[in-house]
Amino acid sequence: MAADRWRATTVAAVNADEVVAELEEITACLPGGGRRRPGQIEMARAVTQAITDRFHLVARAGTGTGKSLAYLVPAVMSGRPAVVATATKALQDQLADKDLPFLAEHLHFDWAVLKGRGNYVCRQRLAELANDRQLALEGVVGADVDAEIDGIVEWAETTVTGDRAELPVEPSPAAWGALSVTSDECPGMARCPSGSTCFAEAARAAAAEADLVVVNTHLYGIHLASEGAILPDHDIAVIDEAHQLEDVISATAGLELSGGRLADLARRAKGIIADDELVARIGDAGTGLAEVGDELGLELEPLAGNRLHGADIDRDLARILNRARDRADRAMNALRKIPDDSGPEVIGRKVRAMQAATHLIVDIDLALDLVEGRVAWVEGGRNPTLKVASIDVAELLREKLFGERTAILTSATIPRNLPGRIGLGTEEHEAIDVGSPFDFAEAGLLYCAAHMPDPRSDDFADALHSEIEALIMAAGGRTMALFTSWRRMEAARDHLLDRIPYALLAQGDAPKPALVERFLDDEESVLFATMSFWQGVDLPGRSLSCVIIDRLPFPRPDDPLLQARRERVGTTAFREID
């Protein structure tokens, strides 16, 4: 019925010829002069038709197509509110820093970027820090972290957006965590003493007024799961890097529980509850919240890498989760006793702690009642986490996305069976493949180091580092090396830092936009990065002449979510899933 109502809406037509003419004029103004790309034009026509005729489009567009402009120009010219969701922040930053400012010079429209709350510095936590630094930073230790926090505070006095991507140096998790909040703990503008000056709320207000809003797919998934509570109303949804849509929506519709999450709530509660007896009951006693968190970690540790079935959650793990729920309830009751006429800093900490306790209780209840259609497993080693995710997201997407607005799904690689897996009916969408303008066989050289030792051998790390060094020297720098883990990246960086005559940049040294800018400014520099740089990063010119991949990132054969999907599909699982 939702789809019928959606299709009944009257929509002004967008002329495809006008869109193409505008697109060609815009691309001709690109730095260095634009090149006519038939695939880009074909895609722009298809997007225009989908918007006009109210059907969904799945567009496979290879590297170099220029798909961002192929969907942005028709969306903007349609005059209808649109949201663009990207799977990586790298592509989100590229749209915000390059594509949209350039496009806005030619097509006059308002656009905004909206990120999750954890990406903005929190005004209330800054106020609490200024009022009582010791209390505000309880549990945050180290002189280096203190210095980082001072730097963030100084930056916060001049920033307009409060977005961590604008920091000149990438902050450590401890420093940023001390001055930001997640959506699980933020009470919202109305209940927060600093709500009227909140950076995150200012970003939401700007998004509400914009013609086009850029978000990441994770936030878009939260928007769908929350009955549309996050983003402004929009008629067009563009899902870039759409091959990741299924996995991202599965994650946003799920939950994560760890001992650290319980310990964090205990720390927050202890910092603001004056009653020593209540503090002991929820945090310090042998049955306190933090201690139950320790028990949960010990219980999950031997289960790391394993999928949990109903029986696993019914035994010792269920007992610990029930105890955790009880202690979270006690924390909530203790927090409620804090007078409402307390100072704004106390009230700010109170409402955040209550919000965190509420979300924790809800997630524990969901984990204890593992309904059909959800899969649970444990990830991590020393800090294990219980994860629960939806196996099938088709119903959610069919109802909340495809039944409400025009969806444009695009990526360089889209599995042919993706539409069916995400709830998109055959008659509701069209699919195109516009190829790539690049002649890969003529324009590039593919080299596989087949002589390398077995990756499991003790000699592999040294051989890998030697091979990377040789390739960097052969390319004269101008290399980006992509690693499948932080550990591998950091080991390679440490080994090669003093062995190559080029500037070596590494993910974590600075925010991604700053790293990309430095890499492009110094043509001979070298950039080491992990999975989040594998997609959505635009590095034109000679600066990127060599790409090194340490290993092909195949998913684990025993990945719990993939296992559950295989079981659901049955005999065609290899073709449909693998």
Side-chain angles (χ1 to χ4, degrees), residues 464-479:
L464 175 66
H465 298 158
S466 296
E467 193 73 19
I468 292 174
E469 181 180 354
L471 291 169
I472 290 173
M473 296 304 295
R478 301 183 299 159
T479 296

Side-chain angles (χ1 to χ4, degrees), residues 413-487:
T413 54
I414 294 184
R416 295 189 183 280
N417 67 341
L418 179 66
R421 280 165 46 182
I422 60 175
L424 197 51
T426 304
E427 297 180 356
E428 296 177 310
H429 81 281
E430 290 188 6
I432 60 171
D433 185 346
V434 301
S436 170
F438 294 152
D439 185 345
F440 294 104
E442 293 296 324
L445 174 68
L446 178 64
Y447 164 69
C448 182
H451 62 278
M452 296 283 286
D454 190 305
R456 295 166 293 186
S457 71
D458 295 336
D459 301 330
F460 181 77
D462 288 340
L464 175 66
H465 298 158
S466 296
E467 193 73 19
I468 292 174
E469 181 180 354
L471 291 169
I472 290 173
M473 296 304 295
R478 301 183 299 159
T479 296
M480 179 165 67
L482 298 172
F483 298 85
T484 48
S485 73
W486 278 86
R487 178 179 58 80

Side-chain angles (χ1 to χ4, degrees), residues 185-198:
E185 58 183 318
C186 180
M189 182 173 67
R191 298 178 61 204
C192 177
S194 300
S196 61
T197 60
C198 174

Side-chain angles (χ1 to χ4, degrees), residues 524-546:
E524 293 185 340
S525 64
V526 175
L527 174 60
F528 284 7
T530 61
M531 294 297 287
S532 58
F533 272 75
W534 287 56
Q535 300 170 85
V537 179
D538 184 24
L539 300 169
R542 287 171 52 84
S543 291
L544 181 59
S545 297
C546 176

Side-chain angles (χ1 to χ4, degrees), residues 96-117:
D97 297 337
K98 294 175 62 177
D99 296 341
L100 287 169
F102 169 74
L103 189 59
E105 294 177 1
H106 302 270
L107 298 175
H108 300 294
F109 66 101
D110 294 323
W111 57 274
V113 175
L114 185 61
K115 300 181 179 181
R117 289 189 181 275

Side-chain angles (χ1 to χ4, degrees), residues 345-364:
E345 287 78 17
V346 173
I347 292 300
R349 290 195 295 271
K350 170 187 173 179
V351 293
R352 286 202 308 275
M354 290 183 66
Q355 190 80 354
T358 300
H359 282 279
L360 177 62
I361 291 169
V362 170
D363 285 352
I364 290 174

